[in-house]
Amino acid sequence: MDVIFSLYPFFLDWLDLIVRWIHIVVGIAWIGTSFYFNWLDSRLDRTTSKEDLEGELWSVHSGGFYNISKLKGPPKEFPKELHWFKWEAYTTWISGFVLLIIVYYLNAEGLLIDKNISDISPITAIAISVLFLLGSWFVYDFLCNSKLINHTTLFSITCLIIVLIASYFLTKIFGSRAAYIHVGASIGTIMAANVFRVIIPSQKNMVSAALSNEKPDLQQGFSAKTRSIHNNYMTLPVLFIMVSSHYPFTYGHKYNWAILFFISIIGASVRHYFNLRNKKQYKPWILPIAASGMIILMLYTSLPKIQVTENSTSLDVQVSFSEVNNIIKYRCGVCHNTKPTFEGFEDPPLGIIFDTPQDILKNIKKIKAQTIDTDIMPPGNLTGLTDSERIKINLWIKHGANINN
Ligand code: HEC
């Protein structure tokens, strides 16, 4: 039994890695096919003289020539095998949810909850997480079925405001990284549910209508088209959010919810540029505006976030390494040690250790990024690092991070 318990953390790490790998692979397949079909539709040669064709396209790839044609309506005779492209979406969502369980639910105290933000129990946090994911789909679906859907601008603004409010509240409930991932996960849930609940049913309806020689349900077809446009706009923001969970200057920022909001707008507008271009409408000014937005955001987030030096006199205070070493030993070393003593940690997280002065020096930039520029570490401030201790570490780094004094 003991052996099983001691193997559990390794097992969990491996499971994390494997599921993450699957999630990325199927996610690439999903977004890849979605980009490909968008591109295909925009590049079809519609001047074709073939009567039953809407357009066709020639391409060459990996040693073969492909001639793809898009029919005006359903085929007269259905082929034995019709490909649907749905499992990419489903498996991305399923693997994503399993990853949420492995990384956040099983380590709710460490990563989902931040006791300084909100002191909730793991069960409550997990319940909020699941309800939030389900709830975001219902709210979105409700909006799509309301009259609002006929007013594109108003609909988009309403959705953006809801994202803004949701992000704000999430950062007041969960730890910052978990809050970010939940915004991403809710967008991912909406995208996958769009495929599952609307797009695939509409395609099934098209096929069965064609087989029984009836007219397909036009309203259903319209909804499916709208939902796939929405999915298209959500791809870039959702990818950004997923990747940003590895960059503390985004999720660890004081106004992380606002950053998320601006990134979503920038991501969606870049997508908008390409969608317009595919329709042969050229609006090149969108790109420089988006790029400038990104640069402004970059500059803004590079400013130090925590006021670690309240007044200029404190800048002159010399802090000895032994003092800093003690702080790091007690506040960080319980986890970041070759043999961590913090419950639940068999190995130092990400292999980062502060056993010797050299270990600390080696990681100095990262320490600054995680504890001075942001308050990501210690996670949820589990070991109670105080502000004055942060100031001391900062001053010591500012004065050259000397390990010999
Ligand atoms: C309760 C355990 C715990 C404590 C205490 C803790 N950490 Fe961490 N630390 C973690 C975990 C878990 C990760 C990995 C997070 C991840 O997967 O992104 C981590 C990651 C890091 C990283 C690497 C981040 C990256 O993405 O490269 C640094 C640097 C770090 N911690 C510094 C510190 C410092 C400095 C302290 C003390 C002020 C500290 N940690 C205290 C658990 C802890």
Side-chain angles (χ1 to χ4, degrees):
M1 206 59 195
D2 278 357
V3 178
I4 294 179
F5 274 122
S6 67
L7 283 179
Y8 178 71
F10 295 103
F11 172 72
L12 218 54
D13 280 351
W14 266 103
L15 205 62
D16 178 339
L17 175 59
I18 291 169
V19 177
R20 201 175 286 260
W21 178 50
I22 295 173
H23 185 58
I24 293 173
V25 171
V26 288
I28 290 174
W30 179 15
I31 292 180
T33 37
S34 145
F35 277 12
Y36 175 69
F37 277 99
N38 261 298
W39 174 87
L40 194 64
D41 224 44
S42 73
R43 297 301 155 97
L44 282 179
D45 173 10
R46 292 174 202 269
T47 58
T48 173
S49 53
K50 293 179 193 152
E51 205 175 280
D52 53 345
L53 290 195
E54 187 177 319
E56 66 181 329
L57 180 133
W58 282 89
S59 54
V60 54
H61 194 264
S62 41
F65 291 95
Y66 295 77
N67 179 12
I68 296 148
S69 16
K70 182 176 178 186
L71 307 189
K72 276 187 180 144
K76 291 198 180 64
E77 211 172 303
F78 270 89
K80 245 194 350 240
E81 201 174 352
L82 186 63
H83 299 282
W84 290 80
F85 299 98
K86 57 181 178 185
W87 280 103
E88 293 86 344
Y90 300 166
T91 44
T92 305
W93 187 84
I94 294 168
S95 55
F97 191 67
V98 173
L99 208 52
L100 196 67
I101 296 175
I102 298 173
V103 179
Y104 291 92
Y105 293 0
L106 293 182
N107 183 16
E109 303 236 17
L111 280 177
L112 194 55
I113 302 165
D114 183 338
K115 290 217 171 350
N116 293 325
I117 292 175
S118 147
D119 196 358
I120 45 177
S121 71
I123 291 296
T124 316
I126 293 169
I128 294 175
S129 159
V130 173
L131 287 177
F132 174 73
L133 294 185
L134 280 177
S136 41
W137 159 251
F138 284 112
V139 171
Y140 163 80
D141 193 48
F142 172 78
L143 289 179
C144 285
N145 292 328
S146 73
K147 293 222 159 50
L148 200 63
I149 196 71
N150 301 320
H151 311 276
T152 310
T153 315
L154 206 59
F155 178 84
S156 317
I157 294 174
T158 311
C159 287
L160 277 172
I161 292 175
I162 293 177
V163 171
L164 186 68
I165 296 173
S167 319
Y168 179 78
F169 278 105
L170 283 173
T171 56
K172 303 294 164 221
I173 297 172
F174 294 136
S176 50
R177 192 178 142 184
Y180 252 51
I181 222 68
H182 274 80
V183 178
S186 73
I187 300 178
T189 302
I190 288 174
M191 290 171 68
N194 268 340
V195 176
F196 181 61
R197 302 277 303 145
V198 183
I199 298 171
I200 292 295
S202 150
Q203 289 177 0
K204 284 199 172 137
N205 170 271
M206 266 165 50
V207 172
S208 62
L211 285 174
S212 53
N213 259 331
E214 284 167 10
K215 279 215 165 332
D217 181 346
L218 280 181
Q219 181 53 39
Q220 214 178 359
F222 170 76
S223 302
K225 181 79 202 154
T226 315
R227 304 295 178 107
S228 60
I229 294 174
H230 291 174
N231 274 9
N232 178 276
Y233 278 100
M234 289 188 270
T235 43
L236 295 190
V238 82
L239 286 179
F240 179 88
I241 298 169
M242 295 303 167
V243 180
S244 70
S245 77
H246 301 277
Y247 296 88
F249 55 82
T250 55
Y251 64 83
H253 195 277
K254 192 166 149 212
Y255 299 117
N256 44 13
W257 50 274
I259 291 178
L260 195 63
F261 178 69
F262 283 113
I263 292 285
S264 307
I265 294 182
I266 292 172
S269 56
V270 172
R271 201 51 249 173
H272 187 56
Y273 164 78
F274 284 104
N275 288 343
L276 288 179
R277 200 178 81 154
N278 284 346
K279 286 197 257 171
K280 305 257 181 312
Q281 296 176 23
Y282 296 96
K283 299 253 164 45
W285 46 266
I286 294 179
L287 289 185
I289 291 184
S292 319
M294 206 63 166
I295 291 171
I296 293 172
L297 210 58
M298 232 163 71
L299 291 178
Y300 176 65
T301 54
S302 311
L303 302 173
K305 271 88 10 200
I306 297 168
Q307 283 304 315
V308 276
T309 43
E310 284 100 28
N311 53 52
S312 52
T313 48
S314 64
L315 260 179
D316 302 329
V317 177
Q318 287 286 341
V319 181
S320 70
F321 174 65
S322 61
E323 206 174 341
V324 168
N325 198 17
N326 266 333
I327 297 173
I328 292 183
K329 192 163 139 205
Y330 289 109
R331 306 295 192 204
C332 321
V334 284
C335 299
H336 294 286
N337 189 289
T338 320
K339 292 242 167 302
T341 49
F342 201 87
E343 204 192 313
F345 286 85
E346 282 301 311
D347 284 305
L350 302 179
I352 293 190
I353 51 169
F354 305 132
D355 296 8
T356 65
Q358 281 72 25
D359 293 330
I360 294 178
L361 270 191
K362 206 171 77 189
N363 289 300
I364 200 84
K365 277 204 181 122
K366 285 189 176 169
I367 295 178
K368 186 167 178 298
Q370 302 273 338
T371 36
I372 310 296
D373 298 340
T374 63
D375 54 1
I376 306 293
M377 283 292 143
N381 205 2
L382 280 172
T383 48
L385 183 73
T386 64
D387 280 352
S388 77
E389 286 169 336
R390 279 188 216 271
I391 294 173
K392 282 182 180 156
I393 302 177
N394 187 36
L395 285 175
W396 173 73
I397 295 175
K398 276 213 161 113
H399 286 131
N402 188 348
I403 52 171
N404 299 317
N405 66 6

